[in-house]
Each structure stands twice: as structure tokens, then as C-alpha cells.
Amino acid sequence: MKKFTISFVFSVIIVLVLASIVLATPKDIRGHWAEDYITSLLNQNLINSYEDGTFRPNQAITRADFAETLAKSMYLEKMEITELTDIENHPAKGYISALVNEGIVTGFPDKTFRPEDKLTRAQVVTMLTRAFGLGKENNQINTHSFASYLDMDKEHWANDYVKVATELDILNGYPDSTFRPNNLTTRAEASKMINIFKDYDSINGFVADIYPASNKIAITSLIGERIILNIADTALIGRNNRIVPATEFLKTDKVFIITDSQKRARYIKAYGLITRADLTEQVSLMTDYMLDPFEVEAIAGGNFNVLKPKFLNEIRVRLMNYGLSPTEIEALLNTDWYSLEEQGRTRLSEAVAIQTGLPLGLVEAIMSQDWDKVQTLAKVEAIQRVVQQVMNSDLFS
């Protein structure tokens, strides 16, 4: 009897626990595509439902709610000191202040945070990538060669963050190759991104070895631990200011790595001794990549001929915009003055013919001073005009 009573009590407890879990699940997320992501965050107390028991997954998330969830997922301690003027009495003040202290979020120029404003896709990507540690210059990989989304030009303030977030599969664009940076982020979308963020990790250390055949990297962490990581096939890899294969790393390099849920290196940034290739890349950057690194190195070696094709093409484009024909342009560039003269004569003849209404052949004969031809063509022209006048008169009506 005693055993039965104990078993019964345990059964009741289990049923009550399961029932409480079911009741705790907001009714408006059941069957939603983000149900698992939302439930995971709710169970970890990283995000909150509303007092009426709903989660409102399709509602845009506020800056304060996202900041609180992000800070909790990073296990940041709340901070009470802040220069922001509009969060003094806000429930999320401590979490917002902690993110500001980490350099992950910033206020607006007027020292406000605007906690109840809705968060855009560009803003949420920027916060997440900074949370990875990508706000620090040494950790950033130059993504200038990566294509931007159609609705984001290279000058967009979040362009580099969006490119990296796309490479890390945190947030992707739409099928029409747009990102829609100003679209608002829903609470469901934010839940998915926070879950992905939580599965990623970052490591700082020094390059210990590279294993190209195995596609692995060995690093020594800042506490002296040796760590060997698989490099993902889609990993974004850079050294100093260049995209490079990992085989270009030096053993003296410092390294920053982001790993995914499978503990594979997805983002590897090494930085250290400046090489010749780094210098040529930097000069190329200073020219806004008008000159590529190969051309910079050739110029440094005194080989200016390497620039001739590029400059000639630029000249061709500009002359074409001025109205010259391809034949004229080539004659000009090749200093073929005879051809250029012929082309010029033809263009002038056409212009005179258009303005006067005279036949082109007649104008060309005049410009060539071929008076016999002029006389013949003039007679033909005169006869044609007389015939035309007669045909247009009333004689045949």
C-alpha cells in the first residue's frame, strides 16, 4: 500500500509538472514556425511572454526587449550607471547599460536609447555581430569584394555587418536578392537569431599550426590551452586586411575565431606581422580599389605598362560618352591621323547633309572637291526635285 501511495504521488507530481509546462506555453505560438526557438528561450528565462499569456510572435520586437534578451544570453551582469537619459526608470536599464559598456549597443546622438522603438533588421544584425566581438577592428575581415544586397549600397552603415551575418547564417536575405534593412524584426525572428547566436562561440588566441590536408587549425588560447578545430568549408578567413587561405597564417599571429554549433571554425581572423601583400592591399584600398594589388605591386617595381590597358579602356568609355564612334576612338588612340581625318570628314558630311537636306553623296563630293561628281549629282538632284514638284502639282489630278 505504501509503495502504491508513493507511486501515485510521483505520478501526480509528474502530471502537474507536465501540465504546468503546457499551460506556460503561450497559446499563440503553438504550430508557429518559430515555436521551438521561442520555447527554448522561454524555458531559459531569456525572453518574456505578456501578462495575458501571449507571446505575440509576429509583433515587432522593441529595442529594450531585444537588448535584455541578448544581455541575458551573454550572461552579462546588470549595470546601473549609464549616460543614456531615457532609460533611468526602465525595467531593462541594467541590461541595456551592460551592452553599452561592452560596446555592443550605442545610444543616439542626443544620448537617448529609445527603448520602446522597434528594432530593424539592420540594427539587430549590427547588435549581434558586435556581440560576437566584431566591433573590434582587429577582429574584422575586409568584405569589400563580397557582393552587397541589391537594396544596400557599399556606403550603408550596416553593410559590412550584414555581409558577415549572412556568411555566418545568422540572418539571410530574400529570394529577390534584397535584405530590406529597414524592415522591422519580429519577436519570432529575434528568437531564432538569439538561439543561433547562443550556439556560436568566440575564441581568442595564437596560431599554433595549420593542417591543410585535414582542413584543421590548432591554436593556443590566451590561457595556454591547445585547441584543434575543424575549419568549415564555408569559413570566412582573413589575415590583416586581406581575404587569404589559412596556409598564409604565421605562427606568431594572433587569431580570433567564431565557431558554430558543431564547434567548427566559421570565421577566422588572424593579424600580425605586416607583409608585402598586406601593404599592396592597403595601397589598393587607398585608391578605392581603382588599382588592384597586382597593379600596385607592378607600379612599385617600376612597371607602369601594366596600367595602360586599364587607362585606355577608361579613355574609350569617356570618348564614347562624348559622342565619338568606336572607329574614331581607335584611330585617335592609335594616332592614325589619316583614318581619323576620313572619319571626321564623314561625320562632318553627315552633319551638313542633315542640316541642309542635301543628299549625303553630294555633300561628300563637295567636301572632296570632286566637281565633276558634284555636277553630275547636282543635275540628278535637280531633276528629282522637278519631277517631285510635278508629281505634287495639279497636272495629274
Side-chain angles (χ1 to χ4, degrees):
M1 181 69 179
K2 186 175 181 180
K3 289 182 178 180
F4 173 78
T5 303
I6 293 174
S7 299
F8 177 76
V9 170
F10 274 120
S11 298
V12 170
I13 291 174
I14 291 172
V15 169
L16 289 175
V17 169
L18 291 175
S20 66
I21 292 174
V22 172
L23 291 174
T25 302
K27 58 187 178 183
D28 59 345
I29 70 168
R30 294 171 192 166
H32 193 280
W33 65 264
E35 179 178 357
D36 290 343
Y37 298 120
I38 296 168
T39 301
S40 174
L41 296 186
L42 288 172
N43 289 342
Q44 297 174 74
N45 196 33
L46 297 179
I47 200 167
N48 300 316
S49 297
Y50 290 93
E51 292 181 357
D52 62 0
T54 62
F55 183 80
R56 306 174 196 176
N58 299 322
Q59 178 176 298
I61 195 166
T62 65
R63 289 168 56 81
D65 283 347
F66 188 82
E68 179 174 344
T69 301
L70 179 58
K72 285 180 176 178
S73 70
M74 296 176 68
Y75 306 103
L76 297 179
E77 294 290 335
K78 291 195 287 185
M79 296 185 64
E80 296 304 318
I81 300 175
T82 179
E83 294 183 353
L84 299 175
T85 60
D86 60 344
I87 63 170
E88 187 60 38
N89 299 314
H90 197 282
K93 172 189 173 182
Y95 297 112
I96 296 170
S97 300
L99 291 180
V100 171
N101 185 62
E102 294 290 324
I104 295 169
V105 300
T106 58
F108 292 92
D110 60 357
K111 291 189 176 181
T112 62
F113 183 74
R114 306 174 194 175
E116 297 309 312
D117 279 6
K118 304 302 188 291
L119 204 61
T120 67
R121 284 166 58 83
Q123 290 171 334
V124 75
V125 162
T126 300
M127 290 171 68
L128 285 173
T129 48
R130 284 178 176 168
F132 278 129
L134 296 175
K136 299 177 181 178
E137 185 175 352
N138 282 340
N139 295 345
Q140 296 171 4
I141 291 176
N142 188 341
T143 59
H144 82 274
S145 61
F146 288 49
S148 299
Y149 287 99
L150 294 180
D151 56 347
M152 293 187 69
D153 60 44
K154 66 178 183 179
E155 302 302 327
H156 193 285
W157 60 269
N159 196 32
D160 289 336
Y161 291 124
V162 168
K163 288 180 180 179
V164 172
T166 300
E167 292 295 319
L168 293 176
D169 293 323
I170 295 172
L171 185 60
N172 297 312
Y174 292 90
D176 62 356
S177 297
T178 62
F179 185 76
R180 306 174 196 176
N182 297 323
N183 279 15
L184 299 181
T185 306
T186 67
R187 288 168 57 81
E189 291 170 334
S191 298
K192 177 181 178 180
M193 285 184 278
I194 291 291
N195 271 278
I196 295 173
F197 171 80
K198 279 174 52 59
D199 286 338
Y200 282 45
D201 200 4
S202 60
I203 307 170
N204 286 282
F206 298 88
V207 175
D209 225 330
I210 300 293
Y211 307 101
S214 305
N215 204 27
K216 296 177 186 290
I217 182 172
I219 69 168
T220 303
S221 71
L222 297 181
I223 59 174
E225 180 186 6
R226 183 180 174 86
I227 303 172
I228 298 179
L229 298 168
N230 289 315
I231 301 175
D233 293 337
T234 57
L236 185 56
I237 304 172
R239 184 182 185 278
N240 290 343
N241 60 347
R242 297 180 298 123
I243 299 289
V244 299
T247 50
E248 288 199 25
F249 290 172
L250 304 179
K251 289 189 178 181
T252 54
D253 286 346
K254 292 182 179 179
V255 68
F256 169 79
I257 297 176
I258 297 175
T259 58
D260 61 16
S261 59
Q262 300 177 51
K263 303 306 176 186
R264 300 175 305 171
R266 289 287 302 273
Y267 183 101
I268 310 173
K269 170 62 186 295
Y271 48 99
L273 183 68
I274 302 296
T275 65
R276 182 171 178 173
D278 292 326
L279 291 174
T280 56
E281 177 74 19
Q282 188 62 34
V283 173
S284 179
L285 174 62
M286 291 169 64
T287 67
D288 198 22
Y289 295 102
M290 182 183 74
L291 301 177
D292 63 39
F294 169 77
E295 292 167 333
V296 172
E297 190 160 348
I299 294 170
N303 180 12
F304 291 93
N305 288 332
V306 72
L307 295 181
K308 187 175 180 180
K310 174 173 286 188
F311 287 143
L312 286 178
N313 286 334
E314 178 66 21
I315 291 170
R316 284 187 179 93
V317 171
R318 294 195 179 188
L319 292 177
M320 189 82 73
N321 292 336
Y322 285 134
L324 273 68
S325 70
T327 306
E328 290 172 324
I329 293 171
E330 292 308 312
L332 180 62
L333 294 178
N334 295 322
T335 61
D336 184 351
W337 305 120
Y338 176 78
S339 297
L340 193 60
E341 183 182 356
E342 289 298 309
Q343 289 292 320
R345 185 183 292 115
T346 300
R347 180 181 290 275
L348 180 59
S349 299
E350 290 179 355
V352 172
I354 292 170
Q355 291 297 321
T356 62
L358 294 173
L360 178 59
L362 180 58
V363 174
E364 289 176 334
I366 294 172
M367 294 189 66
S368 300
Q369 298 183 5
D370 186 348
W371 304 116
D372 290 338
K373 187 174 182 180
V374 168
Q375 187 176 16
T376 302
L377 291 174
K379 289 179 181 178
V380 172
E381 174 69 10
I383 292 171
Q384 287 179 337
R385 289 194 179 187
V386 170
V387 171
Q388 188 65 41
Q389 289 175 0
V390 171
M391 294 296 293
N392 292 334
S393 67
D394 296 332
L395 294 176
F396 296 97
S397 59

